[in-house]
Amino acid sequence: MLTHLSIKQFAVVTEAELAFGPGLTVISGETGAGKSLLVDALGLISGLRADSGVVRHGADRAELVADFTLADTPTALAWLRENELDEDDGCQIRRVIRADGGSKAWINGRPVTLSQLTDLATRLVEIHGQHEHQALMSKPSQLALLDAYGRTDTPRAAVASAARHWSALLQERDALSARGDVSERTAWLEHQFTELDREALDAGTIAKLQADHRRLAHASDLITACEGTFARLGGDEGPSLTRLLQQARHDLQRVSEHEPRLLEVNAMLDNAAIQIDEALVLLDRVRSDLELDPDAFEGLERRLGRLHELARKHRVTPEQLAAHRDGLAEELEVLRTAGVRVQQLDGEIETAKTAWQEAAAVLTEARQAAAKSLSDSTTALIADLGMGGGRFDVALEPVDANRPDPNGAERVEFLVAANPGQPARALRKVASGGELSRISLAIEVAALGLDAVQTMVFDEVDSGIGGAVADIVGQKLRALGASRQVLCVTHLPQVAAKGHAHYRVSKAASEGITRSAVQRLDAKAREEELARMLGGVELTKEARAAAKRLLADVD
């Protein structure tokens, strides 16, 4: 819901601040005062392209700011989160148009493109009037409104799911078919796989092979080191280290009664002797395992050389050869079964197509019923709104049923015949702005505001009507305001009296410059404004009395 609109240096408006609440807010004023500028401002907030002509003469830029609460607009809140533009449960849109024609836009203080601005605004505001940016003019919006009216969520979800499944199968078949003759690729892969599969490529085997190779490559040095160490520790080259430790312990034990700390030293030497004995045993075992074997070393050289050659050939490391081999095996399996899979897919695609067509038929039936009901209800309402003999139709236009369309087997076009005997034409081609606004109002009232947008703006919805019809228009707008926030620019007192809130736009000349001002009316000022709308420049007793009656008649 729109809560606040700020306008600065826009056309003839120097500065204006408007606060909005729920229900119906009406905007009135003298002809030429700038009532529709508020609608124009919301249009620019919604992403319409602007030129320098909207900047007030003498100013360097115009600035527009709109604040919304999103508690009742989950689609807008979801869009903001998806685009990482969310800020709690509120939203502020700011648009600046420079006098040189450039413009910038921000959402919650972050710069955005006009495309992003438009995407968000379609979820926040619908503008009905003489402008091409009306939401109800677009076929996707018309389809969404019909589906909301017919409550087709379940069949529509079934159609979308069936379309996704059908589309995925088609893509899989296209990918397989795009490969063409795969015999050469298969033969090449089989050769590559066989070459790799001859070798033991698991990580453990390669690691042991490399370790064995290193040991044999340094066997001579290892043997020399082991024998020399054994000789020095075991006493072959002088006194045994174990015997020396025993002699040292014996000497310490004789005097340790005089110095208790020597007992601790003795224990350390005892542990050292044990460690040396264990080291000698392991050293002897290692030496026994070592031998100079040129034939074995040559064999290891050949195996490692073969692995490195394969790694270079396949552009991987030796450790990655096993994974590469497994990848070749997987691709081979896919290619070998590709022909069989294509034949399977043909059958699965036909089944998926049938499933989509059946789901689409259910959705079409629901839409046909909703279209008739919406057509009848709207036709009755446009007659009440001063277009007697007019007709509203919802046309369902079939689309190609041989393609997986998630939106179903038809598109929607709203058609209108404004006068008796005239052929129905597309709503977007209706010429009269007033008729267009009233038809839009009738559609929204008939649909009970079922679309997700919470704020609806009607510009000059009462153009060309008066009397009893004007009163009915006001009643319908107020009724719509029970479920949606409605803003209406009007010049009829019968409509203005139905508002929950009332703004007046006035203009005045100062120093040769015309400026417009916007004022929220209290009860007394509102009565005066309705009297002016009823009686013209001079406010007579009769006009004031009529204004009081209009306000008294509002529920």
Side-chain angles (χ1 to χ4, degrees):
M1 182 178 74
L2 177 67
T3 59
H4 182 263
L5 178 64
S6 173
I7 301 173
K8 294 181 180 179
Q9 309 298 350
F10 182 66
V12 293
V13 178
T14 303
E15 185 171 353
E17 301 282 340
L18 294 88
F20 298 99
L24 171 62
T25 298
V26 296
I27 301 165
S28 66
E30 297 178 1
T31 302
K35 301 186 296 298
S36 292
L37 286 177
L38 302 179
V39 179
D40 295 337
L42 286 173
L44 292 171
I45 286 288
S46 300
L48 279 184
R49 295 198 175 275
D51 56 46
S52 58
V54 302
V55 181
R56 192 179 69 81
H57 179 70
D60 59 354
R61 66 179 185 177
E63 183 172 346
L64 310 170
V65 180
D67 293 301
F68 296 85
T69 59
L70 304 180
D72 51 2
T73 315
T75 55
L77 190 57
W79 185 93
L80 287 169
R81 288 171 178 164
E82 182 181 343
N83 289 271
E84 298 181 348
L85 294 168
D86 54 308
E87 193 77 30
D88 299 325
D89 289 333
C91 173
Q92 183 183 85
I93 298 177
R94 178 171 172 247
R95 182 91 183 267
V96 171
I97 302 100
R98 299 193 305 271
D100 62 7
S103 76
K104 291 183 179 180
W106 294 263
I107 296 175
N108 286 331
R110 297 160 208 165
V112 294
T113 64
L114 280 187
S115 176
Q116 288 177 300
L117 199 63
T118 302
D119 282 348
L120 175 60
T122 57
R123 295 163 170 83
L124 294 173
V125 180
E126 280 185 6
I127 300 178
H128 304 277
Q130 303 178 38
H131 306 283
E132 293 180 357
H133 60 274
Q134 295 183 68
L136 281 179
M137 297 303 99
S138 74
K139 287 188 175 183
S141 294
Q142 293 174 358
L143 181 62
L145 189 145
L146 180 66
D147 281 334
Y149 181 80
R151 293 175 171 82
T152 62
D153 289 358
T154 299
R156 191 156 40 89
V159 168
S161 176
R164 286 193 298 270
H165 180 57
W166 182 10
S167 181
L169 294 174
L170 288 172
Q171 290 174 5
E172 183 181 354
R173 186 178 66 180
D174 290 345
L176 290 175
S177 299
R179 294 179 175 181
D181 185 4
V182 296
S183 57
E184 290 187 9
R185 175 71 177 173
T186 302
W188 183 82
L189 286 173
E190 286 175 341
H191 172 73
Q192 300 288 308
F193 174 77
T194 302
E195 187 177 50
L196 290 172
D197 201 41
R198 295 195 195 103
E199 306 292 334
L201 301 176
D202 61 280
T205 298
I206 292 178
K208 184 177 184 305
L209 182 62
Q210 292 171 334
D212 290 346
H213 179 266
R214 286 194 302 271
R215 186 168 59 253
L216 283 179
H218 299 88
S220 178
D221 292 340
L222 289 170
I223 290 172
T224 299
C226 287
E227 289 179 345
T229 303
F230 193 91
R232 286 189 289 275
L233 293 178
D236 293 346
E237 298 180 358
S240 165
L241 184 58
T242 302
R243 191 178 304 115
L244 291 174
L245 286 173
Q246 289 174 346
Q247 180 65 46
R249 290 183 63 214
H250 177 72
D251 292 343
L252 290 174
Q253 285 173 347
R254 284 190 299 105
V255 297
S256 60
E257 61 180 316
H258 307 301
E259 174 53 73
R261 287 178 294 177
L262 292 176
L263 293 174
E264 186 176 352
V265 174
N266 183 59
M268 291 179 181
L269 293 175
D270 184 33
N271 288 332
I274 293 172
Q275 292 290 326
I276 290 173
D277 288 341
E278 291 178 354
L280 285 169
V281 172
L282 180 58
L283 191 62
D284 184 56
R285 189 180 306 131
V286 171
R287 171 63 188 85
S288 299
D289 291 340
L290 292 170
E291 58 180 337
L292 296 173
D293 189 345
D295 292 337
F297 180 70
E298 185 178 348
L300 290 174
E301 282 270 288
R302 285 195 301 271
R303 289 184 63 191
L304 275 177
R306 176 65 177 158
L307 289 179
H308 283 287
E309 180 184 346
L310 288 172
R312 286 192 298 272
K313 179 178 180 179
H314 294 278
R315 299 180 181 180
V316 296
T317 64
E319 291 76 14
Q320 294 171 328
L321 284 170
H324 183 65
R325 176 202 59 202
D326 295 342
L328 294 177
E330 291 177 5
E331 186 178 355
L332 265 174
E333 182 63 23
V334 170
L335 291 178
R336 286 166 179 164
T337 60
V340 176
R341 179 58 183 153
V342 169
Q343 293 178 353
Q344 291 176 341
L345 282 170
D346 288 339
E348 291 180 17
I349 286 171
E350 282 302 313
T351 301
K353 177 181 178 180
T354 300
W356 178 87
Q357 289 173 337
E358 292 174 351
V362 174
L363 179 57
T364 296
E365 185 177 354
R367 283 173 172 168
Q368 287 172 339
K372 185 178 186 310
S373 177
L374 181 59
S375 297
D376 293 344
S377 299
T378 305
T379 296
L381 284 165
I382 63 176
D384 291 341
L385 297 177
M387 297 173 62
R391 187 176 79 258
F392 175 82
D393 289 325
V394 179
L396 301 183
E397 304 170 346
V399 297
D400 186 359
N402 293 309
R403 298 178 60 187
D405 193 322
N407 292 313
E410 58 278 319
R411 293 294 178 269
V412 168
E413 180 79 82
F414 287 176
L415 305 176
V416 173
N419 297 295
Q422 290 184 345
R425 294 188 299 150
L427 178 63
R428 53 193 164 85
K429 295 181 180 179
V430 172
S432 167
E435 289 176 345
L436 190 57
S437 294
R438 275 176 276 154
I439 292 167
S440 299
L441 172 60
I443 293 170
E444 293 293 352
V445 172
L448 300 176
L450 285 171
D451 51 355
V453 178
Q454 291 294 313
T455 300
M456 297 178 179
V457 182
F458 291 90
D459 184 17
E460 301 288 353
V461 69
D462 47 18
S463 177
I465 64 172
V469 174
D471 190 64
I472 293 173
V473 170
Q475 292 175 16
K476 300 302 183 185
L477 285 167
R478 190 175 178 89
L480 186 60
S483 59
R484 291 290 185 272
Q485 182 187 45
V486 180
L487 311 181
C488 177
V489 175
T490 182
H491 66 278
L492 291 180
Q494 295 94 328
V495 174
K498 300 299 190 294
H500 298 93
H502 192 156
Y503 278 97
R504 179 180 63 206
V505 181
S506 58
K507 65 177 180 178
S510 176
E511 299 178 355
I513 299 176
T514 301
R515 292 182 173 86
S516 289
V518 184
Q519 177 187 6
R520 184 174 179 128
L521 304 181
D522 58 20
K524 182 62 177 176
R526 189 175 183 190
E527 183 180 307
E528 291 290 302
E529 173 65 4
L530 290 179
R532 182 199 64 78
M533 297 171 75
L534 284 164
V537 177
E538 293 187 11
L539 301 184
T540 64
K541 290 182 179 180
E542 291 77 8
R544 286 191 171 92
K548 287 182 179 180
R549 284 195 300 272
L550 284 175
L551 291 171
D553 290 340
V554 178
D555 294 336

